[in-house]
Amino acid sequence: MREIQYREALNEAMCEEMQRDERVFLIGEEVAEYNGAYKVSQGMLDQFGSRRVVDSPISETAFAGLGIGAAMYGLRPIVEFMSWSFCLVAADQIINNAPKMLYMSGGQFPVPIVFRGNNGAGGQLGSTHSWSVESMFASVPGLKMAIPSTPADAKGLLKTAIREDDPVFFLESERLLGFRGPVPPVDADHTIPFGQADVKLSGSHCTIVALGRPVHFAVQAAAELAKEGIFCEVIDPRTVRPLDIDTIVASVKKTNYLVVVDQTWPFASIAAEIAMQVYERAMDDLDNKIVRVNNDDVPAPYNRTLEQEMLPNVRKICEAVRAVTYNA
Amino acid sequence: MQGFQESTMAVSSENNAARLSDALGASGLLDILRQMMLIRRFEERCAQSYQQAKIGGFCHLYIGQEGVAVGSIAGLRGDDPIITAYRDHGHALARGMHPNYAMAELFGKVTGCSKGKGGSMHFFDKTRHMYGGHAIVGGQCPLGVGLAFAIQYKGEDKVCACYLGDGALNQGAFHESMNMAAIWNLPIIFVVENNGYSMGTHIARGTSMADDLSVKAAAYGMKFARCDGMDVLATYDCFKALADGIRAGKHGPAFVDCQTYRYKGHSM
């Protein structure tokens, strides 16, 4: 199979859906004439024109809200946040308006919109530009959330997101944009259903659940641990809402141990939620407590060494797995 | 960017010998009167039912401002999308929502216009192109810009009316929306229902240049009009002219200072 970059996969997903559906358009900062701050929308202005690839002024509230209003009117906008860190100034629009409109209007106004952009630490950007927003927003009823970790998932999940009738929070990773991986051919109409986890690696000793960029750390950690005779099953849920808890629970029933890795802060995190759902369904199958690997509970630091230590990493995951499986 | 040279041109209805509203005829005038009286009676019954604890939550009455919703909506076409803030009963009724449908919503019933899920501040009516009452001050402005964007995207000849209170003038969402509507020449009229008070704060205490809101439009090179919102026919004349003007491509988006007054408190 051909290999392309994560950013190219995102680009293909948008282009294919815009060719398929006239109602789909892209709006955001620098998406058109600049070809995307991170070149995700490279070439799209030339292909689709300024009516459908729209450069917005730096007005997150207005362009996020514009997308929601346009979606209420029957269009299917893709709203790019240059970084999810910048969505915070548009919080009222993306939290109050997009996910609640369908319910609040008694079912009259669906909001088929995709909010997408870089999520998580980019690399020494400091605290304000290094947000991982999944745990802040995942508790809002009415939205869906996808966090692709590979080029194939990025493409397949984004195409599904654009076809969804509910608002989708689509969390990409700046650190993965240049990552290459196999992706089905252009004419394959490659989509991935939401709520379907991907088992990255099979193993019988301990389950590791990870999302987004940390999936790669989990796979690396599993390789390290295999040298010690600990064989891990690595699961990437790919979407947080809906969450494929069934696949996670089935794995835990097999391995009896669970480590959850996520790049948000520990208090009320995605990892905390997954751990709780596993306790609710499979407490008796666990041979030890569930261990979480999160960001450290501090704002993201600038210093390179501190930043890498603050984020989930391979060493932390290995330590967690050893700590939970010691009694196996 | 054509069409912005003639910014801040006030639309004056009083000096015209012939008024647009002259064409309404007796039946049109009676319809307008009936709508205003319906809103007044409906809101009085709301107050009564609220005091009887049959209606809960916040409930913002439209009493005093009837001329704004009725006059402006009469000046629009029936398929022009409208969107407003939380004081939304008047707009729904002026758009032709049956009062039973509106009152059922206030009573929290499934037969209400939002199936009892929205309440007083969240009236929606898709069939009448009412895109909702929205309860976070100024939050409807970007949505209105989105409706106007979609109209332009689809190549339709509709005009969006986006209502806001004078308190929303000081929200960032409003200013971002004005800028965006101006740079893209979107078919939208921002309607300030200027009743002089954002809850309990007089406009002069919270808004710069409160005695001349034309400067808000001028800042974005946008067409401005001021109208007496207590005069339903003057309001009709103003909105008919603006909506027709936008539809005909004579000018871009507009900003209207509708001077009005609410006779009741901010909320029940």
Side-chain angles (χ1 to χ4, degrees), chain B residues 56-139:
Chain B
F58 292 135
C59 187
H60 310 86
L61 302 182
Y62 204 63
I63 290 176
Q65 300 182 206
E66 293 90 342
V68 177
V70 171
S72 61
I73 287 171
L76 300 171
R77 226 165 57 188
D79 62 349
D80 285 333
I82 63 168
I83 188 164
T84 185
Y86 46 79
R87 196 179 304 281
D88 59 355
H89 305 174
H91 308 82
L93 295 172
R95 250 298 152 85
M97 183 188 286
H98 194 284
N100 289 356
Y101 200 46
M103 191 62 83
E105 185 62 29
L106 298 177
F107 277 55
K109 292 181 180 293
V110 73
T111 45
C113 61
S114 304
K115 295 191 176 169
K117 302 293 201 326
S120 168
M121 301 188 284
H122 306 116
F123 280 14
F124 290 84
D125 191 344
K126 193 169 194 173
T127 59
R128 291 179 181 79
H129 310 280
M130 177 171 174
Y131 285 77
H134 297 273
I136 303 297
V137 173

Side-chain angles (χ1 to χ4, degrees), chain A residues 63-297:
Chain A
F63 73 73
L66 180 153
I68 298 164
M72 291 172 74
Y73 201 80
L75 301 184
R76 303 182 79 87
I78 305 168
V79 173
E80 177 175 310
F81 291 121
M82 195 182 294
S83 158
W84 272 98
S85 295
F86 306 159
C87 84
L88 300 178
V89 294
D92 177 43
Q93 296 300 327
I94 66 170
I95 302 175
N96 257 329
N97 287 343
K100 298 177 182 173
M101 199 71 75
L102 178 65
Y103 184 87
M104 213 168 60
S105 66
Q108 294 180 79
F109 289 104
V111 179
I113 191 169
V114 179
F115 298 110
R116 49 159 290 272
N118 289 318
N119 177 62
Q124 292 193 265
L125 300 179
S127 173
T128 56
H129 280 54
S130 302
W131 272 101
S132 290
V133 299
E134 49 266 54
S135 55
M136 279 197 294
F137 295 143
S139 66
V140 180
L143 59 80
K144 293 182 176 170
M145 183 181 285
I147 313 180
S149 65
T150 68
D153 288 355
K155 180 170 182 184
L157 292 170
L158 184 52
K159 282 168 69 79
T160 301
I162 295 167
R163 298 180 191 187
E164 274 286 332
D165 286 333
D166 291 316
V168 178
F169 285 39
F170 199 87
L171 278 47
E172 300 154 10
S173 165
E174 180 188 335
R175 298 298 292 273
L176 292 177
L177 288 175
F179 180 82
R180 302 183 79 87
V183 175
V186 173
D187 55 6
D189 197 24
H190 168 62
T191 59
I192 295 172
F194 282 8
Q196 196 173 95
D198 184 27
V199 180
K200 312 298 289 188
L201 203 61
S202 288
S204 56
H205 293 158
C206 179
T207 302
I208 306 175
V209 173
L211 281 147
R213 183 176 170 227
V215 169
H216 299 273
F217 303 152
V219 170
Q220 288 168 44
E224 290 288 315
L225 292 160
K227 294 176 196 162
E228 302 168 22
I230 306 173
F231 296 100
C232 295
E233 183 143 295
V234 177
I235 296 175
D236 176 2
R238 301 196 286 200
T239 57
V240 170
R241 275 196 175 241
L243 177 69
D244 182 3
I245 192 67
D246 291 342
T247 295
I248 297 169
V249 166
S251 175
V252 169
K253 284 178 185 284
K254 181 175 76 174
T255 65
N256 311 117
Y257 294 97
L258 177 61
V259 169
V260 191
V261 187
D262 101 73
Q263 56 184 345
T264 66
W265 289 264
F267 194 99
S269 62
I270 300 293
E273 174 62 26
I274 291 173
M276 185 62 203
Q277 291 197 28
V278 171
Y279 278 130
E280 285 172 338
R281 289 164 177 245
M283 177 114 159
D284 293 340
D285 293 287
L286 287 163
D287 283 347
N288 204 340
K289 66 178 181 180
I290 298 168
V291 172
R292 295 179 284 156
V293 179
N294 281 96
N295 290 343
D296 291 344
D297 198 12

Side-chain angles (χ1 to χ4, degrees), chain B residues 1-266:
Chain B
M1 295 297 292
Q2 10 3 2
F4 288 109
Q5 296 88 339
E6 298 176 83
S7 63
T8 73
M9 255 184 46
V11 174
S12 168
S13 50
E14 283 132 37
N15 301 333
N16 294 349
R19 295 172 55 157
L20 291 165
S21 50
D22 293 346
L24 287 167
S27 71
L29 293 171
L30 274 171
D31 282 346
I32 279 176
L33 179 62
R34 275 196 201 97
Q35 282 184 341
M36 289 199 296
M37 291 180 68
L38 171 65
I39 294 170
R40 179 67 59 93
R41 296 288 98 80
F42 181 90
E43 296 292 60
E44 287 168 353
R45 181 53 71 91
C46 277
Q48 191 183 61
S49 302
Y50 196 92
Q51 282 156 351
Q52 292 169 336
K54 291 177 177 170
I55 297 173
F58 292 135
C59 187
H60 310 86
L61 302 182
Y62 204 63
I63 290 176
Q65 300 182 206
E66 293 90 342
V68 177
V70 171
S72 61
I73 287 171
L76 300 171
R77 226 165 57 188
D79 62 349
D80 285 333
I82 63 168
I83 188 164
T84 185
Y86 46 79
R87 196 179 304 281
D88 59 355
H89 305 174
H91 308 82
L93 295 172
R95 250 298 152 85
M97 183 188 286
H98 194 284
N100 289 356
Y101 200 46
M103 191 62 83
E105 185 62 29
L106 298 177
F107 277 55
K109 292 181 180 293
V110 73
T111 45
C113 61
S114 304
K115 295 191 176 169
K117 302 293 201 326
S120 168
M121 301 188 284
H122 306 116
F123 280 14
F124 290 84
D125 191 344
K126 193 169 194 173
T127 59
R128 291 179 181 79
H129 310 280
M130 177 171 174
Y131 285 77
H134 297 273
I136 303 297
V137 173
Q140 77 278 18
C141 296
L143 301 179
V145 169
L147 297 173
F149 177 91
I151 289 168
Q152 188 183 68
Y153 187 94
K154 291 184 172 188
E156 297 173 344
D157 68 344
K158 299 178 191 173
V159 176
C160 173
C162 179
Y163 296 83
L164 52 138
D166 48 284
L169 291 170
N170 308 315
Q171 283 278 34
F174 163 72
H175 291 276
E176 291 186 20
S177 299
M178 289 280 282
N179 180 59
M180 217 167 250
I183 59 171
W184 293 332
N185 200 27
L186 298 177
I188 186 168
I189 305 172
F190 293 97
V191 189
V192 180
E193 299 197 50
N194 184 359
N195 63 25
Y197 288 89
S198 54
M199 200 164 167
T201 302
H202 186 261
I203 186 168
R205 289 205 292 133
T207 304
S208 65
M209 296 299 288
D211 55 353
D212 182 10
L213 296 184
S214 72
V215 297
K216 310 286 180 189
Y220 300 101
M222 196 180 284
K223 186 160 183 71
F224 174 76
R226 183 178 292 117
C227 84
D228 179 0
M230 306 307 277
D231 179 342
V232 70
L233 295 183
T235 305
Y236 172 89
D237 290 339
C238 175
F239 280 82
K240 181 86 173 99
L242 288 172
D244 288 351
I246 291 173
R247 237 185 285 282
K250 287 184 188 162
H251 55 79
F255 173 85
V256 185
D257 176 10
C258 273
Q259 298 184 327
T260 184
Y261 195 69
R262 68 170 146 74
Y263 295 166
K264 299 290 180 180
H266 166 71

